Amino acid sequence: MSGLMEKLALLALTPPGWGGVLLEGALATLAISAGAYAAGFGIGLAGALGKLSGQRPLVAALDVYTTAVRAIPELILIVGLYYAGTDSLNRLLAMFGLEPVEVNGFLAAVLVLGIVQGAYMTEVLRGAILAIPVGQIEAAKAMGMPPLLRLRRVVFPALMPNALPGLANLWLNVTKDSALIAVVGYQELALATRIAAGNTKQYFLFFLAASFIYLAITLMSNQVFRLMDRRYRRGLPQSA
Amino acid sequence: MNFGWIVTYADLLLWGAGQTLLLLVISVGLGFPLAIGIALLRLGQNRVLARLADGYCTFLRGTPLLVQLWLLYYGVGSLLPMVPGLRGSILWPLLSQGFFFAALSFTLNYAAYEAEVIRGALRSVPRGEIEAARAFGMPPGMVTRRIWLPRALRTALPVIAGGVVLQLKATPLAFSVTVMDLYAVAYKVRQDTLLVYEPLLVVSLFFVVVAILINRIFRRIEAQVPIRR
């Protein structure tokens, strides 16, 4: 059984164990996911309001965005947006006669995943806003609330119970999609695991350990969303 | 924009598209029956088997497909040569290829997601229909085969169509385990010609077209079954 103990020692938090590297990777995964989720929420809210605004060109442009992002494989989007983003930034800098920069991998990851999330978020939030009884929004208008106050006090609290299941799904998606960032070379959990596994040749051990870290993130997130659901549904009639 | 490379790489592109579609057909073709089995186990009488099936779905739906693929390809793949006799067997040429591991992990992953969908559909079948079938004297197996399952699958058709498209979009991951799928071809074109966007655009277009085709096919299947929702 000493073989097993030796293997488990490789997961120790301090070198020569690789546990610390894995945990750092897990934190990077969480940070990327949280950033992308927040960015996606912003894009999604703007997108949903834009789609509901009825401005023809705006609606058409947003339709192209949400349809394209949802039809093209995530891996291709991430790689494409990553190159397109860094490339156009450096071209912009060159236009002002500035030196090209090495784009911060973290920021690029957040933006790229955020743009992907935004498209799904737009649809979730649009559906949730449409499910709000029109009378509630009209009442707020009749009270003379300006648009932003209306959004904050009436639309937002009313859309959250409808949107939460979709939002929870998207959060779970982004934590898993963030693994694709490994392909463009930013060291989050999946890439950290691959490096640890490659160095120790213990591929099975490390990928299994990483799986359980992802699983733990998923299961804990489920609990958080259950609590949020309870909070946002307070005062609403019980439903199935 | 320069698309001259398409002619040079035509054979490779076709091969890549074939690999992509083959991965999709294998994972859906094998994963779907597996999903039905898992869904029935989860709703079945046997507590132990139901728990195991629950755990299977939780694990595969809670971890990224990329990590599952690497766990199989690098992890299990590195353990396989230790199995005595396997190296010399006729299976070895298959087991030493990335394609095998990609197909396997996609199948297992698809089955987990679809099992969840089918389980939900099975639970939504009205009790009265199953009771009526029992009242006709159908044995339990026949009730499942003739009434419960077909009824559930029909209501789930739109969701199943969505699942197939999601599976299609997952196939490019196979490139990370040396499969020469369509995305890997685009990657190779980029390395050879230094064109970044054109190969990605062409490949994206392929995926969009296949996704539209899948939706068409499913709409046709849905139209064949008259059903009141």
Side-chain angles (χ1 to χ4, degrees), chain A residues 70-76 79-80 83-84 87 120 176 179-180 183 190 194 203-204 207-208 211 214-215 218-219, chain B residues 58-59 61-64 66-67 70-71 74-76 79 113 169 172-173 175 183 190 196-197 200 203-204 207:
Chain A
R70 290 185 305 159
I72 298 170
E74 275 78 6
L75 183 69
I76 294 180
V79 172
Y83 286 117
D87 194 37
Y120 290 89
K176 285 180 280 167
L180 299 178
V183 174
R194 206 173 145 167
Y203 290 97
F204 190 77
F207 282 117
L208 198 62
S211 303
Y214 278 111
L215 195 60
T218 300
L219 295 178
Chain B
T58 310
F59 184 80
R61 292 173 66 241
T63 55
L66 185 68
V67 172
W70 288 354
L71 177 66
Y74 293 110
V76 176
L79 299 179
Y113 277 91
K169 295 198 321 177
L173 292 182
F175 108 101
Y183 175 76
R190 196 186 90 210
V196 178
Y197 305 111
L200 286 179
V203 170
S204 303
F207 279 100

Side-chain angles (χ1 to χ4, degrees), chain B residues 40 51 57-58 68 73 75 79 84 91 105 114 124 134 145 148 177 179 187 203 206 223 229:
Chain B
L40 288 172
R51 269 293 169 81
C57 290
T58 310
Q68 291 164 24
Y73 180 73
L79 299 179
L91 282 175
S105 73
E114 253 7 66
S124 73
R134 280 204 202 114
R145 212 168 54 243
W148 199 23
V177 294
V179 176
Y187 191 81
V203 170
F206 172 83
R229 284 185 215 284

Side-chain angles (χ1 to χ4, degrees), chain B residues 8 58 60 66 75 81 93 101 112 140 146 181 183 206 212 223 227-228:
Chain B
T8 336
T58 310
L60 283 146
L66 185 68
F101 292 99
R146 289 218 185 139
D181 76 322
Y183 175 76
F206 172 83
I212 293 172
I227 191 162
R228 258 186 300 167

Side-chain angles (χ1 to χ4, degrees), chain A residues 81-98:
Chain A
L81 288 172
Y82 191 83
Y83 286 117
T86 50
D87 194 37
S88 48
L89 179 69
N90 278 332
R91 271 190 206 171
L92 200 70
L93 287 177
M95 248 169 35
F96 291 102
L98 295 168

Side-chain angles (χ1 to χ4, degrees), chain A residues 152-226:
Chain A
R152 191 157 51 88
R153 289 230 184 119
V154 180
V155 175
F156 190 72
L159 77 80
M160 276 311 270
N162 300 327
L164 256 183
L167 293 179
N169 253 335
L170 286 179
W171 165 253
L172 296 178
N173 278 351
V174 77
T175 54
K176 285 180 280 167
D177 277 353
S178 69
L180 299 178
I181 292 296
V183 174
V184 287
Y186 185 73
Q187 189 165 340
E188 40 61 71
L189 182 51
L191 193 58
T193 309
R194 206 173 145 167
I195 290 168
N199 270 299
T200 57
K201 303 287 171 230
Q202 294 296 331
Y203 290 97
F204 190 77
L205 174 78
F206 278 105
F207 282 117
L208 198 62
S211 303
F212 280 108
I213 297 178
Y214 278 111
L215 195 60
I217 293 176
T218 300
L219 295 178
M220 282 190 286
S221 307
N222 280 339
Q223 286 302 324
V224 172
F225 276 105
R226 206 162 296 155

Side-chain angles (χ1 to χ4, degrees), chain B residues 54-142:
Chain B
D54 279 344
Y56 174 87
C57 290
T58 310
F59 184 80
L60 283 146
R61 292 173 66 241
T63 55
L65 178 54
L66 185 68
V67 172
Q68 291 164 24
L69 177 60
W70 288 354
L71 177 66
L72 281 178
Y73 180 73
Y74 293 110
V76 176
S78 68
L79 299 179
L80 278 182
M82 294 176 202
V83 180
L86 196 59
R87 238 190 151 127
S89 76
I90 44 165
L91 282 175
W92 187 250
L94 182 71
L95 292 177
S96 56
Q97 274 182 6
F99 188 88
F100 169 76
F101 292 99
L104 182 65
S105 73
F106 292 175
T107 303
L108 296 178
N109 184 266
Y110 176 77
Y113 277 91
E114 253 7 66
E116 193 71 21
V117 171
I118 295 169
R119 188 183 75 119
L122 282 170
R123 284 176 61 178
S124 73
V125 174
R127 279 195 79 81
E129 298 192 11
I130 294 165
E131 278 163 10
R134 280 204 202 114
F136 269 108
M138 285 190 193
M142 196 192 269

Side-chain angles (χ1 to χ4, degrees), chain B residues 130-212:
Chain B
I130 294 165
E131 278 163 10
R134 280 204 202 114
F136 269 108
M138 285 190 193
M142 196 192 269
V143 174
T144 305
R145 212 168 54 243
R146 289 218 185 139
I147 311 291
W148 199 23
L149 195 58
R151 182 74 165 81
L153 292 185
R154 279 174 204 171
T155 47
L157 268 177
V159 191
I160 293 169
V164 176
V165 173
L166 284 181
Q167 189 59 30
L168 170 74
K169 295 198 321 177
T171 55
L173 292 182
F175 108 101
S176 72
V177 294
T178 72
V179 176
M180 205 57 183
D181 76 322
L182 194 57
Y183 175 76
V185 176
Y187 191 81
K188 183 177 163 44
V189 172
R190 196 186 90 210
Q191 285 187 323
D192 291 354
T193 63
L194 299 179
L195 294 168
V196 178
Y197 305 111
E198 290 89 339
L200 286 179
L201 273 178
V202 170
V203 170
S204 303
L205 191 68
F206 172 83
F207 279 100
V208 172
V209 169
V210 176
I212 293 172

